[in-house]
Amino acid sequence: MRRLIVISVLAALAVCTSASASSTTPSSVTAQLALAHIATAKYATDLNRAKADGYQIITRMIPNMGYHFLNPKVKGFDITKPAILVYQHRGGAWQLGALEWVFPKMPAREPVPGARYGAFGAACHYVDGTFVFASSQDRCAATSPTTGAKFNFWHGPLVTLHIWLWYPNPSGLFSGTNPLVGVYNGT
């Protein structure tokens, strides 16, 4: 556990240094990353704390990304309150890897200078983290076609913003995927 925390702190320092070196407005990005790091440190290796604070599973392991946990009470963009926490899982340990925010369309004002955005298609989500892409809610089955879990919610197409603050990512701080978490794909 201690090793994971040390690795996370080192990764965060690398992220802040990398953002500072590559951004057009380093002080604002670095300050935002520092605030996000401080605010989410309590979740770094404590998924139970995240769950107690309202985060609930919305996806199982997405390859080269992780398990996604959404807090439905978090609205809009606040660097200190990510809507989604992305975890990697190995054995009995959970490690926070990335923070994520979603938007119904591309933000008019860039919430983090230099950020890159991804996309996630319209989907039906079930209470056990299974999901199925579907163009409208009326196409969502009452239970997951693969597990039988109860329907939770549907969303339209989303614009995503990932920040790999807790796990190093050679593809970049804002990349949607991370090749280094590929070792967790089967977990």
Side-chain angles (χ1 to χ4, degrees):
M1 190 66 70
R2 174 183 233 140
R3 182 173 169 225
L4 288 173
I5 292 171
V6 170
I7 289 170
S8 296
V9 170
L10 292 174
L13 289 173
V15 163
C16 288
T17 303
S18 163
S20 178
S22 65
S23 173
T24 56
T25 55
S27 62
S28 106
V29 172
T30 302
Q32 283 185 295
L33 295 177
L35 289 171
H37 192 264
I38 291 165
T40 59
K42 60 189 171 191
Y43 304 129
T45 59
D46 195 348
L47 177 58
N48 288 330
R49 171 74 185 264
K51 287 179 177 180
D53 287 350
Y55 288 90
Q56 52 196 266
I57 193 163
I58 58 165
T59 77
R60 292 183 175 184
M61 181 65 183
I62 294 179
N64 294 341
M65 198 178 289
Y67 293 80
H68 291 67
F69 291 82
L70 167 77
N71 187 332
K73 294 178 185 169
V74 175
K75 305 291 182 204
F77 180 83
D78 178 339
I79 195 71
T80 65
K81 294 179 184 147
I84 299 171
L85 302 175
V86 183
Y87 280 88
Q88 286 70 52
H89 180 252
R90 182 169 226 160
W94 290 87
Q95 168 67 48
L96 182 58
L99 313 178
E100 184 177 355
W101 292 264
V102 293
F103 309 92
K105 62 182 183 177
M106 186 64 73
R109 192 179 67 88
E110 196 173 53
V112 179
R116 289 188 322 195
Y117 298 90
F120 193 85
C124 310
H125 290 265
Y126 298 87
V127 296
D128 66 350
T130 55
F131 67 94
V132 176
F133 290 111
S135 59
S136 62
Q137 185 168 336
D138 62 345
R139 295 181 170 239
C140 297
T143 59
S144 169
T146 56
T147 65
K150 182 180 162 197
F151 174 74
N152 192 10
F153 69 95
W154 175 86
H155 63 75
L158 299 170
V159 173
T160 62
L161 168 60
H162 286 84
I163 299 179
W164 286 92
L165 193 58
W166 287 97
Y167 208 94
N169 188 349
S171 297
L173 177 66
F174 302 115
S175 178
T177 59
N178 184 338
L180 296 181
V181 302
V183 298
Y184 303 111
N185 287 347
T187 63

